[in-house]
Each structure stands twice: as structure tokens, then as C-alpha cells.
Amino acid sequence: MAGGWKGTASECDYLTKLSNRGGLFRFYESMETASVNHYMFLDLDNFKSVNDIYGHSTGDELLVLVSKELVSNAPANAFISRIGGDEFVIVLPGSMSREEVENTASSILHAVFHTGKRKNVITHISISIGIVIHQPCSCSLDEILNKCDTAMYRAKQSGKNQFVSYDIIEREFLEWRKVESEMRSAFKHKELCVYYQPRMNMVTSELVGAEALIRWEHPVDGLLDPEQFLPVFENTGFILEVDRYVFETVCRQKQIWSKTALSKLPVSVNLSRLHFYQDDFAQTLINMANKYGTVCNELILEISESAFVKDAHQIEKNLKKLKDAGFRISIDDFGAGYSSLNMLKNAFIDELKLDGSFLSLSGHGERGRIIIKNVLSMGKDLKLELIAEGVESQEQVLFLTGCGCELAQGHYYCKALPMIEFEVFAKERMRKQEHTITFSFCCDLKDDSGTYEGIYKGSELEYCQGIMEGKGAICFPGGPVNRNLVSFPGDVLRSESYTISLWVQPKHLEYWVSVLFMEFDNGFASLVPSAWEGTSVYRMKDEREVDGWYDTRCCSLQVGEWTYLTITYDARSEVCRYYQNGGLAGVLEHIPALRITKQFTLGGDRYQPSFCGRVCDLRICDCVRSEAEIAEFYKECIKHPGFGMANGQKMTEGFTLHPYY
Ligand code: C2E
Ligand code: CA
Ligand code: CA
């Protein structure tokens, strides 16, 4: 062993016949000061329970078996010792590379794990290993063993049955100390700054808010993310100062924005759980907001769900005060692992922020998707705002919006940006002053402002009472191709992204007859109430592609029934959504934008016979409306006092309309 080094009888462990602690120390002293070695400190996992449950003789038997595995898995020239109950130390020659040392550790882990099983002693036994690489004998063995022990302890903490090398921990210590020594001056020198990550509406691709995130612009190391310094800030309590600084920066920024389009933009701020132990914490935030004239309702306070595990009572008490002052409260990192559904009973919670790791469940098959769907549905029933975090792909966007979650943050849209860049992004993505052109068809083809007017192609134009008081309807009699239809100038639709809605009541349904048809410079779009058995489609055809058909499908309209149809097309995300009676019924993605409307036609097109039935209340909006808005708008229609007049009867939600002839 170890170059033939032999210990005395008193240096031999009676049980395993390895060297004992005394032997290890004398072996160490015998080495030349210049020599360099590697050290492994091994400690059996849960050995105490083995002794307690199976008795000491089984424990002893196990120690002997393990020692044999150590001997057969370590190189022949390693020095192996048992220095205490279930603790072993192996000295490996410095000629071995780091990789060889780690391979030895791996094979020991593997061998020990299977020992108990093989010998039928016990089902599972494992070992945790701390490694110190390249240690010269110039330092004391105690010093080396201390390092080994620290690394071994980390292996236990990280779940046992693994090895950890001390240099990783040493690097962390150094980094930790560096952060701790520099953080206060960083604060003074204004190296800590606030970045803003956009909060987006996934249905409309519009900006709906921002989250303030701390960054450290380090003069030497560059831009640091919170994970590189936040643990130190938390541990030292420095985070309290930093959070107040972020909060104040946001209030000041909102004051600057107050005269711009961003004036009402909600901003989220993260709060460490440590605040909740400060009695004056809620009042400090309220005072700060007052100082800058910030509307509390425009600030969202994010508290990580993990905080609720330890400090629920303390947090709930403070949050109530903040909620009463008007702040909005968000549970951050929801679903990251600590979720206590119990916390959701609190009425002061406004928002659930789904953690990115939770969202990744959607990529883990049907069960994962069912979990997300139901959590979202629960959140909805609790009337909570739902926002998904870490959204990175269009698949996720479609899945989430399909589950009724409209808000998101994530790299799919944008990473956190410095203020100036955020403002540029915001300008482009803020909801524009939206413009809707409405046609009420009360005995004319003009829009309600009198700017646009359609031309009827045919001789039998007939108006009748529309579905609501104050609205008329056009009765389309059907007929041959390109007859009995209304043609509007192309510029009624001026935007690549749009929302178009109308009430439609077919008298007859023929396949592939369109009720709405738009011709663009590079294709056409057509709304077909019955494309084939049981299917209604909104078809977009991109003429730049041979097979450029894009059919967003819903169910067919019913003869004699009024149905409220809405289509939205978002040119930015290239998604089309089709709604019937205010509910989302079809989604299609990857549809390239059709540009420059040449003509907008109601009641038919130049390819198929014309539509037979009624159309009422056509609205063309130059932006994408959210699902919630569309549902709301539909509800308003059916609650309209005169709703259903066309059929001489009042209708309420869930109505059926009868044939009109
Ligand atoms: P968080 O509150 O969950 O913030 C979201 C984190 O996810 C941010 O990391 C953000 O940059 C990142 N992220 C956003 N979209 C994506 C995505 O699509 N993919 C991936 N992989 N990541 C995405 P960041 O800025 O590094 O912040 C990390 C954490 O540090 C935050 O997590 C928050 O808990 C904490 N933090 C940040 N700023 C502050 C602060 O001012 N005060 C306190 N107390 N904590 C803060
Ligand atoms: Ca957050
Ligand atoms: Ca989060």
C-alpha cells in the first residue's frame, strides 16, 4: 500500500485492517514536504440508521464490505484509512490527473451503492465524498481534512451519493467574499441599476407592463445577473436597501413617464421576504409612493411563493396593509416547488405568476399539460390575474392562450432591457390609439362616421331590423358569382393586424360561399360560414406560396341562427384566431401577413355564388383585441336592451334564434 508503506500494529484498524487515524497522520508525516497528493474524505450516508435498525454487527459487516470496495476501486498505490466510525480517507498520488481522481470517486460511488444489495446486507447504502485536489504536504493534514470535510458536507447537502470537489466551493467562497467587499461601494458608485422586462399580452402582442430587475454594471466583470450576487445580498440583509432603491427608482421613473404614453404602465417590483420582518416596511413603501405621486394601483409587488413557506403569517399581515393602500400583489415563482394551495385562500392576492420551470411541464406530455391547464383554470375561478414567466416559444404561447392565460414575460418577446432600450421597445409595442370603423347598416352603406361607403352590386338591396336596437341588417339574397354583394374601398382595413367582427344569419348554407372577402396585394382572405360538413373557416391565401392556404377552422353556422363572428390576425406573431359568439374556437399559427387591402367585400366574392342571409353590425378594428375584450363585447351585445329584436323576441345568454322567414 502507498509505495509499500507499512504501519505498526497500533496503526491498524481492527475491523477493516486498513490504516487507522494514527496511521494516516504518521503516513502523512513520512512524506516529503514537497510532495503533492490528492485527498478523498468518504462518509457513509445514513450509517447511523443502519446501526439502529439492523444492529451493530450488520453495521460492522457493512464497513468491512465498503473497505474492500475502496481497496479494489482505488489504485494500488493509494493510501486508504478508516479514521472514525464510518469515515474513510484516501490519499491518492499527485501523479494522477483530476479526471482520474474523479473517475476513481465515481467508481467508488457505484461500487458502494451496489455492495449492500449484492451481499444482501441491506437494500441501499451510499457514500458521500469530498475531494481536495493537488495539496502539497507543506500544509497541515488537519487543514487538508477540514477542506475535505467541507466538500463532503456539500455533497451530503446536495442530496448525498455524490462527490464534490473543494475547489468549486473555494471559488464560491472567493466570489462570495468579493461580492461582499464590493457591494456597498457599488451602491455608492451607482453600479447597481434597474432593467425592465416587458410584460406582454400574448393574444395581441402588446406591451401591458414591465418587471423591474436589478443588475450590477461591474466596472471590471461587466454586467452581472442577480444570481451572481443576490444570495450574498440576501444573506447579509443588504437586499433590504437594494429593494428600496429599486422601488424608489421605479416610482421616480413613473413620475418621469407621467406625461408620456407610458404614464399608466403597471410595473412589478420584487420584494425579498426579509422585508416582512421590518415593522415599518409597508409604511415605508406607501410613503415613498406618495413622495413621487405614484398611483399604488400601477405597482405590482412580487413576493416569491417560497417566502410563504416560512413566513406566511408575517407576510400576510404586511401584505394586507399594502393591499389596502392599493398596491397589487403577485405571487412570484408559482409552481416552482413550494406551492402551498393554502396561500391562495388569501383575498389580497391579485396575481399568480407561473414559474418558468412549471411551464416547462407543458413539454412533458399530456399529464404536464393537464396540470398547467387546471392550475390556470383554478386561478381564473379565483379571479386572479395569470401571467406566465420564462415563455420562450410560440408553442408555449399557443398552449397558454389556449388555456386562457393571456399575459406573459419571456425571451420569446424580450429580455430585460436598460431603461432607454425599454422605452424604444415600449413605443413600438404599446397599444396604439386604436380605431374601429363601424357599419350599422341603418338603411345605408356608410360607416357611422360617414367616412367610408360601400357600393352594392346588384338590384335587390334590402335592409331589415338588425339584431340590436339602433342596428340594421343587410339581407343578401344570394345569387351568381360576383353579384348581390357590397364592395367597400380597401382602406377600411388599414392595418396588417386587425380584428373584424360581424353578426351573421344564413338563410341557406352552401359550401365555400363567403360572407366576407378581402383582396390584398399578395393574396386574399375569406370568411366562409360553411366550408365543408360542419366546418366554417377563415381562409388566408398567400399568393407568394404555391400551397399558401391557411384555414383557421370553427364549426359551421346554423341556418336561421344569428352568430357573432370575430376574427383577429396578429401580423407580429403570425397568428389568426377565430371566435364564435365571443368564445375562441380556432387558432392557426405561422400565417405570413397579407399586405395592402385592395378591396373589402361583404356577401360574396368573385369565385363562388353569393351569400344568402343577413349581416349586421360590421366592425373593423386596426388592432388585435384580446380574448377577454372579445368575450366582453359579445356579452354587451346580448345584454343590449333591444337584443334579438330582429326576431320579435328578447333573448338572453345561451339563446337560440329562430329562422326569420
Ligand atoms: P424572477 O423574479 O423570477 O425574475 C424572472 C427572471 O427570469 C429574470 O432573471 C429574467 O431575466 C429571467 N427570464 C425572463 N424571461 C426568461 C426566459 O424566457 N427564459 C429564461 N431562462 N429566463 C427568463 P433575473 O433578472 O436574472 O432575476 C433572477 C431573480 O432575481 C428574479 O427572479 C428575482 O427573484 C430576483 N431579483 C431580480 N431583481 C430583484 C430585485 O430588485 N429585488 C429582489 N428582491 N429580487 C430580485
Ligand atoms: Ca419576479
Ligand atoms: Ca419568477
Side-chain angles (χ1 to χ4, degrees):
M1 182 189 290
W5 191 86
K6 289 250 182 303
T8 62
S10 66
E11 287 160 1
C12 178
D13 172 34
Y14 70 97
L15 183 66
T16 61
K17 307 296 177 247
L18 296 172
S19 165
N20 64 17
R21 188 180 177 87
L24 171 67
F25 274 80
R26 212 167 63 74
F27 169 68
Y28 188 77
E29 279 158 17
S30 76
M31 284 190 292
E32 284 176 24
T33 354
S35 69
V36 171
N37 295 290
H38 312 293
Y39 296 81
M40 262 186 206
F41 190 104
L42 309 96
D43 187 295
L44 280 174
D45 298 328
N46 310 320
F47 185 64
K48 188 176 169 337
S49 332
V50 175
N51 275 334
D52 291 347
I53 297 167
Y54 299 93
H56 282 260
S57 59
T58 305
D60 284 354
E61 198 183 332
L62 194 68
L63 287 171
V64 173
L65 290 173
V66 167
S67 69
K68 285 187 180 150
E69 294 296 355
L70 299 187
V71 172
S72 56
N73 284 283
N77 55 356
F79 179 88
I80 306 176
S81 57
R82 181 168 82 113
I83 60 162
D86 62 343
E87 294 172 347
F88 299 84
V89 169
I90 304 179
V91 184
L92 297 160
S95 56
M96 286 173 78
S97 68
R98 170 189 290 271
E99 202 188 350
E100 285 166 335
V101 174
E102 290 181 350
N103 286 344
T104 305
S106 295
S107 49
I108 290 175
L109 286 175
H110 185 259
V112 169
F113 193 71
H114 290 95
T115 307
K117 231 182 192 169
R118 222 171 29 236
K119 306 281 173 172
N120 225 358
V121 178
I122 191 171
T123 41
H124 284 298
I125 187 75
S126 63
I127 201 160
S128 296
I129 308 177
I131 300 176
V132 179
I133 298 280
H134 290 306
Q135 284 295 303
C137 287
S138 50
C139 45
S140 78
L141 180 58
D142 277 328
E143 222 172 287
I144 296 173
L145 292 183
N146 267 343
K147 289 180 183 175
C148 280
D149 189 51
T150 305
M152 191 278 297
Y153 184 68
R154 173 67 67 87
K156 295 254 188 216
Q157 265 185 327
S158 322
K160 305 177 179 170
N161 191 29
Q162 56 190 292
F163 67 84
V164 167
S165 180
Y166 181 74
D167 32 15
I168 292 172
I169 299 174
E170 193 167 41
R171 217 174 303 136
E172 284 175 14
F173 282 164
L174 285 176
E175 278 161 18
W176 185 282
R177 263 183 249 133
K178 182 168 173 331
V179 169
E180 207 172 340
S181 68
E182 292 178 346
M183 64 191 189
R184 280 172 209 286
S185 65
F187 202 42
K188 244 185 253 143
H189 297 143
K190 300 201 179 342
E191 289 162 27
L192 295 181
C193 54
V194 179
Y195 273 43
Y196 295 81
Q197 185 177 36
R199 282 163 64 100
M200 305 296 293
N201 181 309
M202 291 183 276
V203 175
T204 63
S205 295
E206 284 160 344
L207 180 85
V208 292
E211 177 176 6
L213 294 161
I214 190 76
R215 293 288 182 272
W216 185 340
E217 287 175 346
H218 194 280
V220 180
D221 302 333
L223 188 69
L224 305 181
D225 280 336
E227 62 172 21
Q228 293 165 272
F229 54 82
L230 223 55
V232 186
F233 286 16
E234 287 271 354
N235 203 268
T236 53
F238 186 57
I239 189 70
L240 297 173
E241 253 172 272
V242 172
D243 280 356
R244 276 195 295 269
Y245 163 75
V246 173
F247 187 88
E248 184 161 15
T249 306
V250 168
C251 290
R252 199 181 295 122
Q253 191 58 53
K254 283 193 67 68
Q255 193 180 43
I256 296 169
W257 281 340
S258 66
K259 292 193 174 52
T260 73
L262 293 169
S263 70
K264 291 192 176 354
L265 194 76
V267 180
S268 312
V269 179
N270 293 284
L271 293 175
S272 158
R273 65 179 187 86
L274 295 182
H275 293 284
F276 296 90
Y277 291 102
Q278 316 267 311
D279 285 337
D280 58 347
F281 154 63
Q283 199 53 49
T284 311
L285 294 194
I286 295 165
N287 294 346
M288 192 99 80
N290 287 342
K291 179 175 159 194
Y292 291 95
T294 315
V295 181
C296 296
N297 188 32
E298 291 169 12
L299 291 183
I300 304 166
L301 307 180
E302 294 193 3
I303 297 101
S304 177
E305 67 161 20
S306 60
F308 280 81
V309 178
K310 266 195 183 161
D311 314 305
H313 178 67
Q314 199 68 18
I315 290 181
E316 284 163 15
K317 205 173 72 186
N318 273 289
L319 282 188
K320 197 179 164 314
K321 210 165 167 188
L322 290 165
K323 172 77 182 169
D324 289 345
F327 293 106
R328 280 145 77 178
I329 311 291
S330 174
I331 303 298
D332 202 357
D333 311 325
F334 190 77
Y338 303 92
S339 305
S340 146
L341 296 180
N342 202 23
M343 77 170 86
L344 297 180
K345 70 182 188 296
N346 293 311
F348 53 73
I349 297 173
D350 297 287
E351 176 182 272
L352 281 192
K353 200 165 192 192
L354 288 202
D355 191 64
S357 64
F358 186 63
L359 177 62
S360 67
L361 271 181
S362 69
H364 290 269
E366 196 49 28
R367 295 181 79 89
R369 285 191 285 276
I370 289 172
I371 296 172
I372 299 179
K373 219 178 253 179
N374 282 284
V375 166
L376 287 169
S377 147
M378 176 184 68
K380 249 184 169 176
D381 287 348
L382 291 169
K383 307 268 182 295
L384 296 172
E385 188 83 79
L386 301 168
I387 177 161
E389 195 168 32
V391 171
E392 291 181 341
S393 69
Q394 191 178 42
E395 285 65 39
Q396 290 173 332
V397 169
L398 288 172
F399 170 71
L400 286 163
T401 52
C403 296
C405 173
E406 285 200 359
L407 306 185
Q409 239 176 277
H411 293 166
Y412 177 67
Y413 293 103
C414 193
K415 59 185 185 6
L417 300 171
M419 173 48 55
I420 305 290
E421 287 174 39
F422 174 78
E423 284 180 336
V424 173
F425 180 92
K427 244 175 227 153
E428 202 188 306
R429 293 293 192 99
M430 284 284 284
R431 173 160 276 210
K432 306 272 180 314
Q433 213 45 37
E434 70 203 44
H435 183 237
T436 302
I437 301 168
T438 307
F439 291 89
S440 292
F441 301 130
C442 292
C443 297
D444 70 19
L445 295 174
K446 284 187 184 147
D447 79 297
D448 290 4
S449 72
T451 317
Y452 301 93
E453 185 170 12
I455 301 166
Y456 188 71
K457 233 181 179 184
S459 54
E460 305 171 57
L461 174 59
E462 211 183 291
Y463 297 100
C464 62
Q465 166 70 48
I467 198 159
M468 281 173 282
E469 233 169 321
K471 300 270 180 189
I474 307 177
C475 307
F476 287 103
V481 175
N482 219 15
R483 286 291 292 172
N484 304 328
L485 43 81
V486 181
S487 171
F488 294 95
D491 61 345
V492 288
L493 181 65
R494 286 176 296 186
S495 161
E496 279 180 20
S497 299
Y498 51 82
T499 304
I500 300 173
S501 64
L502 66 171
W503 283 92
V504 178
Q505 186 193 38
K507 188 184 172 200
H508 298 301
L509 278 176
E510 280 180 63
Y511 289 163
W512 292 110
V513 166
S514 67
V515 65
L516 169 75
F517 182 86
M518 288 180 280
E519 201 163 347
F520 298 88
D521 250 13
N522 56 340
F524 71 77
S526 168
L527 180 57
V528 179
S530 180
W532 53 81
E533 200 91 49
T535 312
S536 159
V537 303
Y538 181 59
R539 164 166 287 191
M540 292 172 76
K541 165 88 176 101
D542 183 350
E543 268 152 18
R544 293 163 297 188
E545 291 176 42
V546 182
D547 292 317
W549 303 101
Y550 300 97
D551 291 339
T552 310
R553 293 162 61 166
C554 269
C555 48
S556 263
L557 274 52
Q558 296 297 309
V559 167
E561 267 187 29
W562 280 105
T563 308
Y564 184 55
L565 300 183
T566 308
I567 43 174
T568 67
Y569 175 70
D570 183 352
R572 219 180 268 282
S573 61
E574 302 193 322
V575 174
C576 180
R577 289 185 165 79
Y578 188 177
Y579 303 79
Q580 282 187 357
N581 290 341
L584 180 66
V587 181
L588 197 72
E589 51 183 313
H590 306 305
I591 311 176
L594 298 176
R595 297 203 170 85
I596 311 173
T597 326
K598 294 203 290 202
Q599 203 166 55
F600 188 106
T601 313
L602 209 54
D605 62 50
R606 54 189 169 82
Y607 300 107
Q608 304 285 345
S610 290
F611 174 75
C612 179
R614 295 176 182 183
V615 174
C616 163
D617 193 28
L618 168 68
R619 293 176 190 229
I620 306 158
C621 175
D622 58 5
C623 71
V624 180
R625 300 278 198 158
S626 71
E627 289 183 31
E629 285 172 309
I630 289 165
E632 190 51 39
F633 186 72
Y634 170 72
K635 268 190 207 146
E636 268 168 35
C637 281
I638 61 171
K639 277 194 197 128
H640 195 280
F643 183 78
M645 296 296 285
N647 297 78
Q649 62 173 100
K650 281 262 182 153
M651 283 162 298
T652 47
E653 216 161 338
F655 65 96
T656 318
L657 296 174
H658 302 292
Y660 60 92
Y661 283 23

